[in-house]
Amino acid sequence: MNALTQTEKMKAEFLSKAKVQKTNWELYKKQKVAEAYLYEKEKEAQAQKAAAEATMYVHQQIVDGELYAKKNEAQGLIAITEAQGIYLCTLLDPLGGNYGALRDYLIISGGIFQEMAKINAEAVRGVYRMLPPLFKTVNELTGMLPPAWMGTLPDSSRSTTD
């Protein structure tokens, strides 16, 4: 009987140990699954962080490039302005500081008078082209003829064939 009790006791002890080992094994497996999941999530977070940093770096490089270009553009404008100031001072000194003479010189040397003459000549041409039809309309409405020094009416026989 004692041997049977001892056998049952040993069976129970080994069964308990086996159950504990099985439970420990299941706990260990769950812990490893959880650790693997955590590791995966950490790697995903690191990848997202690296991608965000790369995007931020690219954006910062673009902004830095634009800033560099704007600075160079501003420096170029400053250099041009300084050069123009030196040019104007160089022209103004021989003229004794006479701004009117400097203005006239710049207008003449810049070809402004020639350009104004061309514009005025075209305007006069445009007015002279409009006068004959205007004279004809006035004549038709009022019967008045323009003075000889202003011109004549267009030939009615030519206007119908044109």
Side-chain angles (χ1 to χ4, degrees):
M1 188 80 167
N2 191 15
L4 188 57
T5 306
Q6 281 291 356
T7 304
E8 288 299 319
K9 185 178 175 186
M10 287 176 96
K11 275 184 184 179
E13 192 177 306
F14 284 128
L15 186 61
S16 291
K17 283 183 181 179
K19 283 184 179 180
V20 167
Q21 282 180 348
K22 183 179 178 186
T23 304
N24 282 345
W25 175 249
E26 288 174 1
L27 179 63
Y28 178 77
K29 284 189 340 187
K30 287 180 181 179
Q31 184 180 0
K32 288 300 174 185
V33 168
E35 286 175 0
Y37 179 77
L38 178 63
Y39 179 78
E40 181 183 330
K41 290 301 177 184
E42 285 176 349
K43 290 299 176 186
E44 285 178 10
Q46 288 174 355
Q48 288 176 350
K49 181 182 176 188
E53 287 174 352
T55 301
M56 187 176 78
Y57 178 77
V58 167
H59 181 60
Q60 186 63 41
Q61 292 298 323
I62 291 170
V63 169
D64 288 347
E66 290 173 355
L67 178 63
Y68 180 76
K70 292 292 182 184
K71 282 182 179 178
N72 283 346
E73 183 181 342
Q75 289 173 348
L77 291 173
I78 289 169
I80 289 170
T81 303
E82 288 173 352
Q84 287 175 341
I86 292 170
Y87 172 69
L88 290 175
C89 286
T90 304
L91 292 175
L92 197 57
D93 284 344
L95 297 172
N98 185 341
Y99 290 105
L102 176 62
R103 181 198 62 226
D104 292 346
Y105 169 76
L106 291 174
I107 288 174
I108 291 169
S109 67
I112 302 296
F113 282 137
Q114 293 87 341
E115 192 64 32
M116 287 172 51
K118 286 178 188 175
I119 292 169
N120 286 339
E122 188 57 41
V124 169
R125 254 188 240 115
V127 169
Y128 272 99
R129 280 190 211 119
M130 292 181 345
L131 283 178
L134 178 66
F135 291 153
K136 182 176 180 181
T137 303
V138 168
N139 179 263
E140 288 172 356
L141 295 174
T142 64
M144 294 175 55
L145 290 172
W149 59 269
M150 282 186 127
T152 60
L153 292 177
D155 188 3
S156 60
S157 63
R158 271 196 296 164
S159 64
T160 57
T161 59
D162 286 336

